[in-house]
Amino acid sequence: MTAIRPLVAGNWKMNGLGASLAEIASLLDRLAQNGLPPTDIMVCPPATLLTKAKLMLEGGPVTLGAQDCHPLASGAHTGDLSAEMLADAGAKAIIVGHSERRTDHGETDAMVNAKTQAAHRAGLSAIICVGETEQERRNGATLEVVQGQLAGSVPRDARAANTVIAYEPVWAIGSGLTPTQDDVAEVHAVIRAELTRLIGEEGTGVRILYGGSVKPGNARELLQIANVNGALVGGASLKAEDFYTILCAY
Ligand code: 13P
């Protein structure tokens, strides 16, 4: 199998005002001074900062992502943003189906699938998030839950070039807790197998990120696990120093 180039993406969630763009400037400075790690790098600030961030990132080593989109291209949907609008603002990718959206907004796998198709329609990559709750893990249902989410959320015409999976155990997000390396390896192997079942050969090249309390102190051990092709970083992506240190795990 050809080597998969990793991706480390920072999900700022509902954090960041204009002043936070200084963290992007600081990240770019660190990369310019110390050289580029062998990984793709992405930041996903709130939509309000996309246009300004685009101007800072143009032509550089860091790409821009957004955090959600409406399935339709335009229409009477007050407050929503379409994938086309996010592309227009500079995003190259959109995070879809994050557990916080599944919980806060009742997003189903079918909705995540439609949003993924919207991202693809707009020429963007989709970062599709899956992961079990604490209760589901305790019930021994982790693999079944993740397989079900993939089967429902991944369009069958998804390609390695436009689709990324992020395995984010809900109980690990923002908690400081992480699964054991064996547990991560087990779930990522199942995700890989499920992807090839769903989309065939393309599934062997899809990047599978780990997300949930990735920090400078644990990035190296998490990122070297088999079938872990990068990370989706929340809290630690808000500070350039921490995010840069995570990139240096490569
Ligand atoms: P934390 O890194 O803050 O745990 O968040 C992970 C996450 O949800 C990224 O999408």
Side-chain angles (χ1 to χ4, degrees):
M1 200 174 81
T2 51
I4 296 178
R5 185 171 166 85
L7 166 67
V8 178
N11 175 9
W12 286 18
K13 308 190 179 184
M14 197 174 71
N15 296 293
L17 302 174
S20 313
L21 294 169
E23 296 299 327
I24 293 182
S26 168
L27 174 65
L28 292 173
D29 278 350
R30 284 164 205 269
L31 292 167
Q33 277 165 28
N34 303 315
L36 297 178
T39 174
D40 288 343
I41 307 165
M42 183 183 292
V43 289
C44 305
T48 46
L49 296 181
L50 285 177
T51 305
K52 282 182 179 161
K54 176 194 177 187
L55 296 176
M56 300 173 73
L57 297 177
E58 242 156 16
V62 179
T63 57
L64 191 58
Q67 299 177 18
D68 178 50
C69 67
H70 192 281
L72 299 177
S74 63
H77 300 284
T78 302
D80 279 318
L81 296 170
S82 71
E84 283 77 0
M85 290 168 173
L86 297 167
D88 188 46
K92 301 290 183 212
I94 308 176
I95 298 168
V96 292
H98 192 282
S99 69
E100 287 148 16
R101 294 212 56 91
R102 290 178 187 261
T103 303
D104 294 355
H105 300 276
E107 287 192 9
T108 62
D109 292 332
M111 290 160 76
V112 177
N113 193 312
K115 290 176 179 211
T116 301
Q117 292 184 51
H120 293 168
R121 182 189 65 222
L124 306 183
S125 292
I127 302 176
I128 303 172
C129 302
V130 297
E132 82 286 1
T133 62
E134 187 178 9
Q135 187 64 50
E136 287 163 342
R137 178 161 281 273
R138 265 200 248 114
N139 293 347
T142 297
L143 301 179
E144 186 189 324
V145 165
V146 168
Q147 282 171 318
Q149 289 172 327
L150 288 171
S153 307
V154 177
R156 299 306 184 262
D157 61 355
R159 295 279 160 265
N162 66 13
T163 306
V164 174
I165 304 299
Y167 169 54
E168 302 205 303
V170 178
W171 52 273
I173 294 174
S175 65
L177 303 172
T178 52
T180 65
Q181 286 177 283
D182 284 351
D183 285 343
V184 173
E186 180 185 37
V187 177
H188 279 238
V190 164
I191 292 173
R192 178 70 65 209
E194 185 67 11
L195 284 171
T196 48
R197 192 181 73 80
L198 293 170
I199 62 171
E201 185 65 21
E202 283 291 321
T204 63
V206 169
R207 293 186 278 199
I208 308 172
L209 313 184
Y210 169 77
S213 296
V214 177
K215 306 287 179 204
N218 63 15
R220 203 175 290 266
E221 69 201 46
L222 288 164
L223 293 175
Q224 50 98 24
I225 299 170
N227 282 308
V228 174
N229 312 118
L232 185 55
V233 184
S237 72
L238 296 172
K239 288 274 161 249
E241 185 181 358
D242 288 348
F243 192 53
Y244 176 75
T245 307
I246 291 170
L247 296 172
C248 291
Y250 283 106

